[in-house]
Every structure is written in C-alpha cells, then in structure tokens.
Amino acid sequence: HRALAKGQQIAGADRKAIDEVVPTYTQISPDVAAAMRVGTFTMESDRAGVQKLADLMYGFGFIKTRPDVGQIFASVS
C-alpha cells in the first residue's frame, strides 16, 4: 500500500519520471509513453462500498454469513 501511494505521489508530481520509467519496465516506446495520459487514483479504501457489496452477496445467498468487512482492511500508517 505504501509503495503504491509513493508511486502515485511521484507520478502525480513529476511527469518526467513517468516518461523515463515506463519505457524501461514495459515495451512502450518513449514517444508513446510521453503521449500517455496518466489518471489519478485515491489510495483510500471504500469500506462502505465493500460492506454494501458484502451485504448484497449475503442477501442474494452467495455467502452464508454477513461479514463485517472492517475486519479485512489492514491498518496502514
């Protein structure tokens, strides 16, 4: 989680870093990498959305017990 957050921070702050790194770790050419549009993503968990999904799965009988999804999220500090 911390590595993803750090990568997102670098990608959001330094476009040149993306242009240099993407061709190194992929088969994407430097020209294409420079033209790519980079999205932004939150690193926050949508616990309410996951709980709603779990409740629906329980309600439709896909799972036998209603889970408390708060127990499956790790605390990151």
Side-chain angles (χ1 to χ4, degrees), residues 33-45:
M36 286 183 357
R37 181 172 175 218
V38 180
T40 57
F41 305 94
T42 180
M43 295 306 294
E44 298 298 318
S45 302

Side-chain angles (χ1 to χ4, degrees), residues 22-50:
V22 169
T24 303
Y25 292 99
T26 67
Q27 295 180 3
I28 298 172
S29 71
D31 293 341
V32 173
M36 286 183 357
R37 181 172 175 218
V38 180
T40 57
F41 305 94
T42 180
M43 295 306 294
E44 298 298 318
S45 302
D46 180 12
R47 293 177 189 224
V50 175

Side-chain angles (χ1 to χ4, degrees), residues 14-75:
D14 186 3
R15 176 58 203 220
K16 187 176 177 183
I18 295 169
D19 296 344
E20 292 174 359
V21 171
V22 169
T24 303
Y25 292 99
T26 67
Q27 295 180 3
I28 298 172
S29 71
D31 293 341
V32 173
M36 286 183 357
R37 181 172 175 218
V38 180
T40 57
F41 305 94
T42 180
M43 295 306 294
E44 298 298 318
S45 302
D46 180 12
R47 293 177 189 224
V50 175
Q51 185 65 58
K52 182 176 181 178
L53 177 61
D55 291 344
L56 287 168
M57 290 174 66
Y58 172 75
F60 284 104
F62 291 109
I63 54 178
K64 295 181 185 211
T65 59
R66 178 177 277 139
D68 175 9
V69 299
Q71 296 177 1
I72 65 171
F73 284 89
S75 176

